Amino acid sequence: MIVAIDGPAAAGKGTLSRLLAEEMNLAWLETGSLYRAVALRVLRDGSDPGDSRAAVGAAGHLDAGDLSDPELRREDVGQAASRVAAISEVRAALIGFQRRFAHRPPGKVRGAVLDGRDIGTVVCPDADHKIFVTATPEARARRRFLQLRESGTPVDERQVLAATVERDARDTERSASPLTPAEDAHLLDTTNLSIDAAFATLTAYISGSSD
Ligand code: CDP
């Protein structure tokens, strides 16, 4: 079974995917971590995330250690990730790994859940279930602000909102695999839903008991 969960920043994709993976015994791949890892390598090399040669070079050299680096979650790495993600050669370099994970997930599992921006549209258009998770920019920025504050990062909520809107615009307007719901995706708006309520809706979609 392949489940594709797409949506903009801080909509709840990560938490919902993790819960789903646990409940249904699926392997989980946060595909954003691949783009974040490319971006972090580029930043550490002192290059510009918009420099396609540097970004494509970094994409060709990723290893497992890159994906578990705690620095991946930094806000500036998220912004740089959305810049490397707009480069079609970077996307091409990462698609094979994502498809292999989806079709042959590691471990004794029933399948895989992948979260990202283009899983239902480009990486796994054949996924068994597609969900597009969204929420208003204000609700998403509030969640990201609270997460950052909890992790001890001093931030201003208005700046988090501005950065969220900027990243959404870049992800939606790029020509390479833009962020958009697949035609056959279920839309899940989490603006006014608790995690429990959002998860109940998600599992109802997957079990086919709700359209
Ligand atoms: O966790 P958050 O929603 O903030 O972001 P993420 O999923 O870690 O993704 C970081 C960036 O990687 C996004 O802003 C996208 O530009 C890019 N990305 C992408 O283009 N395609 C994907 N399948 C996943 C992420």
Side-chain angles (χ1 to χ4, degrees):
M1 179 203 290
I2 299 177
V3 183
I5 302 192
D6 290 303
K13 301 181 303 290
T15 305
L16 291 171
S17 302
R18 178 172 51 75
L19 293 172
L20 190 71
E22 280 166 15
E23 170 130 336
M24 302 193 71
N25 186 28
L26 303 171
W28 171 33
L29 179 64
E30 268 187 292
T31 63
S33 66
L34 301 171
Y35 295 93
R36 286 173 178 269
V38 172
L40 188 55
R41 268 189 178 250
V42 169
L43 294 175
R44 282 184 178 151
D45 288 346
S47 300
D48 184 301
D51 174 347
S52 58
R53 254 179 57 143
V56 173
H61 286 95
L62 289 188
D63 60 42
D66 286 314
L67 300 183
S68 53
D69 192 322
E71 302 275 303
L72 293 184
R73 303 311 312 169
R74 274 171 23 200
E75 272 299 281
D76 64 316
V77 175
Q79 285 294 345
S82 82
R83 294 184 61 206
V84 302
I87 301 168
S88 56
E89 295 91 332
V90 169
R91 308 197 70 84
L94 300 177
I95 200 165
F97 175 81
Q98 297 173 74
R99 286 190 175 145
R100 278 193 299 281
F101 187 99
H103 291 277
R104 283 193 300 280
K108 281 202 166 142
V109 288
R110 284 178 58 198
V113 51
L114 281 75
D115 80 79
R117 301 291 186 288
D118 62 338
I119 309 304
T121 49
V122 176
V123 177
C124 298
D126 55 345
D128 301 286
H129 303 283
K130 299 181 186 179
I131 296 94
F132 193 86
V133 185
T134 186
T136 61
E138 290 75 16
R140 293 185 288 112
R142 173 105 201 129
R143 290 176 197 158
R144 186 52 50 96
F145 165 72
L146 294 173
Q147 275 170 2
L148 288 166
R149 206 177 54 178
E150 201 162 303
S151 69
T153 314
V155 276
D156 174 281
E157 191 169 346
R158 279 165 314 175
Q159 275 173 10
V160 177
L161 176 59
T164 304
V165 170
E166 184 189 335
R167 186 140 69 91
D168 288 351
R170 201 181 292 125
D171 289 350
T172 309
E173 290 161 16
R174 70 185 179 212
S175 56
S177 304
L179 170 66
T180 183
E183 272 180 20
D184 50 349
H186 286 290
L187 294 185
L188 175 50
D189 186 333
T190 64
T191 305
N192 296 309
L193 296 182
S194 65
I195 278 294
D196 286 352
F199 187 59
T201 309
L202 173 69
T203 50
Y205 285 150
I206 289 178
S207 63
S209 59
S210 168
D211 287 319

